[in-house]
Amino acid sequence: MDVMRRLAYLFVFALLITMVSAGKADAGFEWCSEDPTFVVNGNVIDINTLFPAKYASSVKGPVVVELLVPSNAIAAVLTLPGSVPVQGKVTKSLPAWWGLLNMPVVARVTVNASASFDTYTRAIGTGLWLVTTVAGKSNQTSHDKFYLLLP
């Protein structure tokens, strides 16, 4: 019986900790996230660009997300969701890739706006590695180079 009582106390304690820590997240301010989805050689890639939500009304024209892939890659734009207009395109401008690993891909993101603000871009998806978050500015094109594990 003593074991059952300890398990019951542990369960109640875990439940209390979960309920106390499940409050509203306070990140300081809200973000806009523009994240078109692409497919490259069967790998689904989400190019996620963040910027402070207070600047969403200053965005002029679409956020342009261009994916540069090897000339022999099979790639397409899948979806273009966003709180501001988004344009996605694929350009086969990198040299043909015949390797087994590490196919290079470059994302170019341009946020045209009437104000200057920071942006952050990161590629998320299947088959990605050596991924970083790239800081940028509105009205400038940021470049995020990453690699597909299995092209």
Side-chain angles (χ1 to χ4, degrees), residues 59-121:
V59 175
K60 304 298 176 205
V63 172
V64 179
V65 181
E66 180 181 17
L67 207 62
L68 308 177
V69 298
S71 60
N72 59 339
I74 300 169
V77 179
L78 290 180
T79 63
L80 294 171
S83 55
V84 297
V86 179
Q87 177 187 3
K89 59 184 178 177
V90 174
T91 303
K92 295 182 176 188
S93 61
L94 300 180
W97 183 257
W98 301 105
L100 296 176
L101 302 171
N102 301 336
M103 183 173 84
V105 178
V106 177
R108 294 195 319 190
V109 179
T110 307
V111 180
N112 294 311
S114 59
S116 178
F117 52 87
D118 294 327
T119 65
Y120 301 93
T121 300

